[in-house]
Amino acid sequence: MKYDRVFNFSAGPAMMPEPVLEEIAAEVLNYRGTGMSVMEMSHRSKAFIQIYDDAVADLRKLMNIPDNYKVLFVQGGGTTQFAMVPLNLMKGGVACYVETGAWSKKAIAEAKKYGEVKIVASSKDKNFSYVPDCSDLDIPENADYVYICENETINGTTFNKLPNTKGAVLVSDQSSMFLSRPCNVEDYGVIWAGVQKNVGPAGMAVVIIREDLITEDVPDFCPTYLSYKTHADKDSMYNTPNCWAIYCCGKVFKYLNDLGGLEAVEKMNQEKAQIFYDFLDSSELFKGTVAKEDRSLMNIPFVTGSDEEDAAVVAATKAAGMDNLKGHRSVGGLRASIYNAMPKEGVEALVEFLKEYEANK
């Protein structure tokens, strides 16, 4: 079968590694002799339980997750996590949030429904183009947790140094940088990530949570499904999980381990990002929008300075086999998301195309 693939710079749902897709395609009708697709099999079957166990084990190996942390697969993606975090952790009614862009703003708005939210640092003053200094935050003693969006997908910033939480639990939305570089899990109380950006298909989030934070002490109005304990007690099988997403993510976890782990992945990502940022820093037409010290390795927003020119670039790149370079509707401009699965050749092809486009202006 012949088919055409583009270099897909979408921020999510995004590219998956081609070897993984090929393996999935080979198994889609008959998974390893079961006579059925993973999409058809019971989540209680021996075949799927093995898929689930392997996925958890491979993620634990990839991130070196300590034994006192649980790995959960929760349906609903990131938007569900905006509510689950305060519903489960805001036990004293106070939480601190660092405001660095569109997704932290959404998390803040949701958390305000359940308690008092203190915005302890913000980069709103410069249109979220940098990460604020978080070395000496004003965190009250009664704060239940400190929340960050560690990589802002829309605004293209990333934390290169974690906040000083003054002993409070750190919660991180890692959706658009999950598994892109090594991570010391013990620095966090909770890590969560919507998987459709850098791991698998949409509809699910991975949650890595320290066991002492999983309790029955949640508000009476908290839906059963939104309790972390519900998922932890049943190994993510309280109800029928997103079996297909778990299966696909498990393939990616194994693939990344085989590449050499997160140290090798980070090196590849740094090389790709450097190619693109070097181009932006030398271009007169295309300009990056993020402070250099806070630039994301995953999401690179840039502009020409003209909405009409930006639109022309989107059309031209799409015609050349490079899709989804339009910036998010909330900010406009252009954006290249170069997740783990984006090959170096894709970044090089885009840079060469943009250089030629600029030269012909």
Side-chain angles (χ1 to χ4, degrees), residues 276 279 286 302 313 350-358:
F276 202 87
F279 161 69
F286 299 101
F302 59 108
V313 172
L350 176 59
V351 166
E352 288 307 308
F353 183 89
L354 295 177
K355 284 181 177 178
E356 185 175 344
Y357 183 96
E358 181 174 357

Side-chain angles (χ1 to χ4, degrees), residues 90-234:
M90 201 186 279
K91 301 183 187 304
V94 179
C96 297
Y97 279 66
V98 179
E99 183 185 43
T100 50
W103 295 112
S104 51
K105 285 175 64 179
K106 286 182 180 289
I108 288 166
E110 189 68 23
K112 285 181 176 179
K113 298 178 181 178
Y114 308 110
E116 181 183 356
V117 171
K118 293 183 177 295
I119 298 176
V120 291
S122 176
S123 54
K124 186 178 181 179
D125 62 325
K126 294 184 179 179
N127 201 29
F128 302 118
S129 61
Y130 71 104
V131 173
D133 181 6
C134 295
S135 61
D136 189 22
L137 300 174
D138 183 14
I139 300 172
E141 291 185 4
N142 63 340
D144 293 304
Y145 60 88
V146 176
Y147 182 104
I148 62 172
C149 178
E150 200 163 340
N151 188 95
E152 283 279 2
T153 320
I154 293 174
N155 303 91
T157 60
T158 198
F159 281 77
N160 289 308
K161 184 177 182 181
L162 294 177
N164 177 3
T165 66
K166 310 287 181 69
V169 171
L170 178 62
V171 178
S172 176
D173 167 6
Q174 286 194 359
S175 295
S176 53
M177 48 88 71
F178 190 53
L179 305 185
S180 66
R181 65 189 190 191
C183 170
N184 183 17
V185 174
E186 289 182 312
D187 289 339
Y188 307 80
V190 179
I191 296 168
W192 69 262
V195 302
Q196 76 276 14
K197 298 179 182 298
N198 208 22
V199 187
M204 190 181 75
V206 173
V207 178
I208 301 166
I209 180 169
R210 208 172 63 216
E211 288 182 344
D212 63 288
L213 299 174
I214 304 170
T215 70
E216 295 178 348
D217 184 20
V218 296
D220 292 339
F221 58 80
C222 177
T224 302
Y225 192 80
L226 298 188
S227 166
Y228 287 131
K229 193 171 191 305
T230 295
H231 299 277
D233 286 350
K234 299 295 183 181

